[in-house]
Amino acid sequence: MDAAELKRWLASVARLTPAQKADLLKALSARDDEAEVGQLVDSRLAQSPACPHCASTRIVRNGSASGLQRFKCRACQRTFNALSKTPLARLRKKAKWLQQEDALARGLIVRLASAELGVAPSTAFRWRHRFLQLAQPVKALVLTGVVEADETFFLRSNKGQRPGRAPRKRGGRASRKNRGEDLMPVLVARDRSGATADFLLEAVSKKCLSEVLRPRVKADAILCTDGSAAMAATAKEMGVHHEAMNLSAGERVRGPWHIQNANSYHGRLKGWMHRFRGVATSYLESYLGWFRALDRATRSRAPVPPMLRLAMGLDG
C-alpha cells in the first residue's frame, strides 16, 4: 500500500460505526498477536536447530506453509516446521494463542474460554489440553534441605469415558465401603525453597512412595511427614532423616519441623480445582501441571505464566 492509498484509507476510518471500529481494532490486534506468536515459534528452532524426525542438524529452509517457515532435512529428506512433533503441531488460529495463554493464566473454565476466544467449546477444550501436555512433567527434579511430603485425595472420575461403575452425582463423595477405589491419592513434596513435585499414586504404600521420592529427595535432606506408617517405612528404606508429626495428638509444629507448606499447597490446589466441578482422572495430571505453572509464576512474581512457551517445549 503506497502513501496516498494509506491516507485515503485512514480518512475512511472516521466514517466507520462504533461496531465497525471495534471490529477493526480486533483485527489489528489479532495480526499483532499472530506476529508475536510467529516470532516465538521461530525462536524454538533457533534454540535447537535439528530435525525433529532424526535429530540431524543438516537442515535447510524449504518454503513456507500456514504462515510458518518450513525446513528440509538433508539426512532423512523429510520436511518440518518449528512446531513439528510438539503438541501445537497442526493447531490453527495462531492469532488467538496469546488469548488462550491468558485464559489459562486466569484459570477460565471451558465455557468462558470459548466465549472469550470466539471458538467452539470443543476447540477451547482441545487447545487447553494441547497447551498443557508438555506442562505435565515440568516439576522439581531435586528437593533439598527440609522436604515436606503429604498426600491429598481427589475423587476418581470417568467423565468423558464409558463408566465402569454407576455414575456419581456431581459433587458426590467417596463411599465408606469403597473409599480406596473412589479416591485418587496425590502426593505433594515441597522443600522450603518452594521447589515442588507432585505425583499420582496407585496407593499410599512404601513401594509407590519410594518410587517417586527416591529419585528426587537428596540423601542429606530431612523428610517431614505426617505420622503415617507408609511414610515412615519409606524414609527408612531411603535412608533419610525423618521427622513425623503426630497429628492424631494435635501436634502440628515441633520446632522447625512441620508440613504446613505442603498442606497450604493442598489448600490452594483444591480451591483452584473447585471451579472445574470435578476433573476427569485421565486429565488430572494435566491440571496438576497447570497449577504448578501458575504457582511458580506467583512465587517469581511473573506477570503471566509462560504457558505458550511450555506448550512449545521452550521452558522446562
Side-chain angles (χ1 to χ4, degrees), residues 37 41 44 52-53 65-70 78-95 97 123 126-127 130-131 133 311-312:
V37 170
V41 171
R44 181 179 184 276
H53 304 293
S66 302
L68 295 177
Q69 174 69 51
R70 291 199 66 80
R78 299 179 70 176
T79 62
F80 57 93
N81 62 37
L83 293 179
S84 296
K85 297 289 188 178
T86 76
L88 301 188
R90 301 182 184 276
L91 213 58
R92 300 181 180 181
K93 300 183 180 180
K94 298 177 186 62
W97 287 6
T123 299
R126 183 171 64 255
W127 283 11
R130 290 281 196 94
F131 270 61
Q133 190 171 326
M312 291 182 185

Side-chain angles (χ1 to χ4, degrees), residues 9 14 17 42 46-47 53 55 69-70 72 83 91-92 94 140 146 153 155 165 172 177 185 195 227 253 274 285 302:
W9 186 85
T17 66
D42 289 341
Q47 286 189 10
H53 304 293
Q69 174 69 51
R70 291 199 66 80
K72 186 173 184 177
L83 293 179
L91 213 58
R92 300 181 180 181
K94 298 177 186 62
V146 179
F153 297 86
L155 277 174
R165 55 161 176 76
K177 182 179 179 181
V253 180
H274 182 71
E285 195 80 71

Side-chain angles (χ1 to χ4, degrees), residues 29-47:
S29 64
R31 297 307 303 176
D32 290 343
D33 284 355
E34 188 167 5
E36 186 174 342
V37 170
Q39 292 175 359
L40 188 57
V41 171
D42 289 341
S43 72
R44 181 179 184 276
L45 204 58
Q47 286 189 10

Side-chain angles (χ1 to χ4, degrees), residues 268-296:
R268 297 196 303 276
L269 173 62
K270 288 287 187 72
W272 178 80
M273 283 279 212
H274 182 71
R275 71 191 69 191
F276 303 112
R277 299 295 190 269
V279 171
T281 300
S282 58
Y283 292 124
L284 185 55
E285 195 80 71
S286 290
Y287 284 78
L288 292 175
W290 184 0
F291 182 76
R292 282 197 309 274
L294 298 179
D295 189 66
R296 285 195 304 272

Side-chain angles (χ1 to χ4, degrees), residues 245-257:
M245 300 298 102
N246 189 355
L247 301 182
S248 60
E251 183 184 47
R252 304 291 175 181
V253 180
R254 187 173 66 250
W257 318 126

